[in-house]
Amino acid sequence: MNRRLEERRAYHARYKQTVKTRGKPFFPYAMFHDTVMSLLVVCLIVALAVIWKYTANEGTGEHDSGWLGKLYDEKADPGTTNFVPRPDWYFYFLFYLLRIFKWPDSVILGTVGIPTVALLLLLALPFIDIGRERRPMRRPVAMTAAVLTIITMGVLTYKGATAKEPLAAENLVLVPKWAAKQGFAGNQTAVDGAKIFAQVGCMNCHTYLGAGTSNLGAPDLSKIGKTSNRGVAGFATYVSDPSKFGNNVMPQFKDLGADNLRKLGTFLQSSGTCSPKTDTCPAAGGQ
Amino acid sequence: MANKPQGRSHQLLQILLYPLNWLEERTSLPGRSGIVGGIKYFLFRKVPSDISWGHTLGSAALTAFIVQAVTGVILAMYYKPDPNSAYESIRHITDDLWAGWLVRGMHRWGASVFIILLFLHMGRVFLYGAYKYPRELNWIIGVLILVLGMMEGFFGYLLPWDQTAYWATVVGVNLQATGPFVGPFLGDVLRGGSEIGPDTLARFYSLHMLVIPGALAALIGLHLWLVVRIGVSSPPWSPTEAGRPEPGPPPAPRKGLVAPAPRNGLAAPVSRGARRR
């Protein structure tokens, strides 16, 4: 142990000696490189701002986006629920982790577990990799770990960037198919509920019979009436304010109103409990 | 008579140097240099002869941070951290103010450039094995700077108060609230209540422009202080790597090329680069 410390100290003493006798002064040599690089950085930032401004139209619509996105989005409206929760690009890797881990069993791995472990490993790096060797070719473990980390981060960021949330109009055309497949076509309340489900943003996080996007750890709802079986009123209460049931990730939907929530509840209770053959939904108050 | 011009230029130099000497005397301890000596040391300290463009990523990130600070100060003069006027103030900055779009655009894209440069800088340090003894502490400070930099991005994202910002923040804060033990408490503290509203915006604004930038500036100062004190590491594959035990005699031909007296400050490094080839 002591020998290692002595070796390290000797290395640093040699370093200081070499720099002192054979080094170059920071000014002007290193400072020249730094100045050129800093100027490039400022030019890059200005160029991005100019490209952003001059390729975009003034406005908040889909077609007003330039090469680098819109100048501004619509004003925040806490009343709308058809939102796409999209962070800035450098959080895409975390964002995509939540498509891998599902609520409620393993979502905590994506939100807290993996990021915390990764951060601790990063902080502890100098205490894990304690060898004196600095040449990359002679640090195979460290370099392999680094390359794997870069690939993982890159893939997660790319997947997060290209993940698409379905449009409400695209979901709406699926409602008759759902009704036929699940057997609630005869229950108008459930069909109305399915239309609400398709439009108000549920499918930005939930999947249903293969449609929608799995985001933020939200589960698939194709059989939710069977697996969760809260009843029509139970589902309505849950969706109205999920935080009362310990779900703090899903936003509140109480703005939909009691009538819409009842329809939504009927649809959810019908999912997986109706009989497609006889077209009856005993649990959801259907025929 | 003959040395009169010399005396005059000497006098002139004394007048020019007077403020510097004044400052030095009032910031130094006996036998220790003060602020002027410190700056002189910073500028003329020796660095390994083989460092090059790879070592500019840190100062490039610092430049991006300064751009963020300057544009941020200007934006703060016009931005209103209130849900009723935040969005309108951003539109006012972008549409009405002279070069307002440029300042906002630079702040917005400067954030991404800052984060990218932090990652590149970290990658360079990793590749060079420069986090090893005696630079472990500076690696840790660097990781903290990266985390704080990303938190700046998170808290700044809400400020335009548009749909994307609002809903991303709703979800982001809710996700933090899933954490064990402190999670729900942290969520309430960030929101300033159970819902995202005026208190949340004011809180995020304060964190984004006072608390985190202050912490970042302090950590960056500490980071730089350690860089100057310990010194930057040579590229590990360099034949003249500083600190490597030398098996034979030092490579003679490089001597004399390493640090020629700077006659023309800018021309010297260029010619050095050409000679290396």
Side-chain angles (χ1 to χ4, degrees):
Chain A
M1 207 57 197
N2 260 343
R3 233 189 74 219
R4 175 184 286 153
L5 189 62
E6 271 164 29
E7 272 178 8
R8 288 166 150 193
R9 282 181 181 155
Y11 183 92
H12 194 58
R14 271 198 310 276
Y15 164 86
K16 282 286 188 195
Q17 188 57 35
T18 318
V19 170
K20 197 173 170 185
T21 52
R22 286 194 276 142
K24 56 186 182 184
F26 174 74
F27 176 86
Y29 298 98
M31 198 157 168
F32 166 74
H33 289 115
D34 283 333
T35 311
V36 171
M37 189 68 175
S38 294
L39 283 173
L40 282 176
V41 166
V42 175
C43 290
L44 173 69
I45 294 173
V46 171
L48 285 169
V50 169
I51 293 169
W52 173 65
K53 160 82 176 168
Y54 285 103
T55 57
N57 296 323
E58 287 186 17
T60 57
E62 278 301 313
H63 302 291
D64 296 317
S65 176
W67 295 353
L68 295 176
K70 295 178 204 172
L71 290 181
Y72 16 63
D73 205 349
E74 272 158 42
K75 187 176 175 174
D77 178 6
T80 57
T81 37
N82 191 8
F83 67 96
V84 179
R86 193 154 276 263
D88 221 342
W89 67 266
Y90 40 85
F91 288 115
Y92 280 168
F93 71 100
L94 285 175
F95 177 69
Y96 199 78
L97 267 187
L98 300 173
R99 290 194 172 204
I100 299 172
F101 297 100
K102 300 278 178 239
W103 180 270
D105 312 314
S106 61
V107 75
I108 199 164
L109 283 178
T111 55
V112 184
I114 292 182
T116 307
V117 170
L119 183 60
L120 288 178
L121 280 177
L122 200 59
L123 280 169
L125 173 69
F127 308 102
I128 300 169
D129 182 15
I130 49 176
R132 265 198 312 126
E133 184 56 62
R134 290 172 54 230
R135 279 163 288 190
M137 295 313 283
R138 302 195 185 188
R139 294 154 58 211
V141 179
M143 294 321 287
T144 311
V147 168
L148 289 179
T149 308
I150 291 169
I151 291 175
T152 311
M153 293 281 283
V155 168
L156 286 174
T157 302
Y158 176 77
K159 291 277 225 178
T162 51
K164 277 206 167 42
E165 283 75 19
L167 296 171
E170 291 168 6
N171 296 331
L172 207 50
V173 298
L174 300 171
V175 170
K177 282 186 202 161
W178 296 344
K181 193 160 185 193
Q182 300 272 40
F184 60 76
N187 184 339
Q188 191 54 41
T189 319
V191 174
D192 288 347
K195 285 179 185 162
I196 295 167
F197 179 80
Q199 290 179 85
V200 298
C202 306
M203 301 186 72
N204 290 337
C205 294
H206 289 285
T207 48
Y208 193 89
L209 292 177
T213 344
S214 172
N215 252 334
L216 309 172
D220 179 73
L221 297 180
S222 312
K223 300 250 177 283
I224 192 72
K226 197 172 175 185
T227 52
S228 187
N229 199 16
R230 291 174 188 275
V232 174
F235 277 117
T237 320
Y238 187 94
V239 172
S240 161
D241 186 0
S243 66
K244 288 201 182 121
F245 298 85
N247 179 348
N248 285 310
V249 178
M250 182 169 153
Q252 298 176 357
F253 286 84
K254 58 164 89 103
D255 290 331
L256 290 176
D259 188 44
N260 285 332
L261 284 168
R262 186 178 56 83
K263 290 174 179 165
L264 201 52
T266 312
F267 161 69
L268 292 172
Q269 185 58 40
S270 306
S271 302
T273 57
C274 301
S275 160
K277 283 181 185 152
T278 56
D279 207 17
T280 51
C281 299
Q287 297 150 350
Chain B
M1 285 307 266
N3 56 9
K4 202 184 172 189
Q6 201 184 359
R8 196 180 282 162
S9 70
H10 181 72
Q11 271 180 340
L12 196 64
L13 194 65
Q14 284 307 306
I15 293 169
L16 286 174
L17 286 179
Y18 182 78
L20 292 181
N21 289 333
W22 186 93
L23 206 58
E24 178 73 352
E25 195 167 330
R26 275 148 193 85
T27 53
S28 57
L29 292 168
R32 310 278 302 271
S33 58
I35 194 161
V36 178
I39 290 170
K40 260 190 196 162
Y41 174 76
F42 175 79
L43 284 177
F44 298 107
R45 78 200 142 101
K46 293 282 184 64
V47 292
S49 57
D50 46 14
I51 67 167
S52 184
W53 293 104
H55 284 77
T56 61
L57 290 166
S59 65
L62 175 64
T63 304
F65 179 75
I66 293 169
V67 167
Q68 290 306 92
V70 172
T71 53
V73 164
I74 298 172
L75 288 174
M77 293 173 181
Y78 298 96
Y79 175 73
K80 297 183 178 66
D82 170 68
N84 295 319
S85 40
Y87 181 76
E88 286 74 14
S89 72
I90 293 283
R91 295 209 57 149
H92 174 64
I93 289 168
T94 318
D95 296 342
D96 307 336
L97 291 180
W98 181 81
W101 64 268
L102 181 65
V103 176
R104 184 184 157 216
M106 284 177 73
H107 198 72
R108 183 188 160 149
W109 293 105
S112 291
V113 170
F114 181 54
I115 300 279
I116 291 177
L117 287 170
L118 288 181
F119 273 112
L120 289 177
H121 178 48
M122 191 169 79
R124 198 280 297 167
V125 169
F126 186 90
L127 189 68
Y128 283 31
Y131 50 87
K132 301 191 173 205
Y133 178 91
R135 301 186 179 85
E136 299 99 324
L137 182 61
N138 231 10
W139 170 267
I140 292 173
I141 295 172
V143 173
L144 293 179
I145 290 174
L146 177 68
V147 171
L148 284 177
M150 293 186 73
M151 281 170 70
E152 267 297 76
F154 177 77
F155 290 118
Y157 202 58
L158 177 69
L159 302 186
W161 202 251
D162 57 24
Q163 282 286 64
T164 324
Y166 181 83
W167 289 107
T169 306
V170 168
V171 171
V173 174
N174 285 352
L175 286 174
Q176 293 184 20
T178 63
F181 314 119
V182 292
F185 171 72
L186 192 67
D188 282 347
V189 168
L190 284 179
R191 278 186 295 252
S194 61
E195 299 227 8
I196 291 198
D199 288 347
T200 321
L201 189 54
R203 216 159 268 223
F204 273 43
Y205 185 54
S206 162
L207 288 170
H208 179 77
M209 64 162 251
L210 292 170
V211 181
I212 302 179
L216 267 176
L219 285 175
I220 290 172
L222 201 58
H223 198 72
L224 274 177
W225 182 73
L226 279 176
V227 164
V228 172
R229 205 170 167 80
I230 299 173
V232 295
S233 56
S234 283
W237 48 80
S238 161
T240 54
E241 183 204 347
R244 184 185 296 167
E246 288 176 31
R254 286 196 68 85
K255 234 175 180 182
L257 299 184
V258 172
R263 291 184 59 183
N264 176 337
L266 290 183
V270 175
S271 61
R272 195 183 143 262
R275 226 174 293 163
R276 197 193 298 145
R277 224 174 286 144

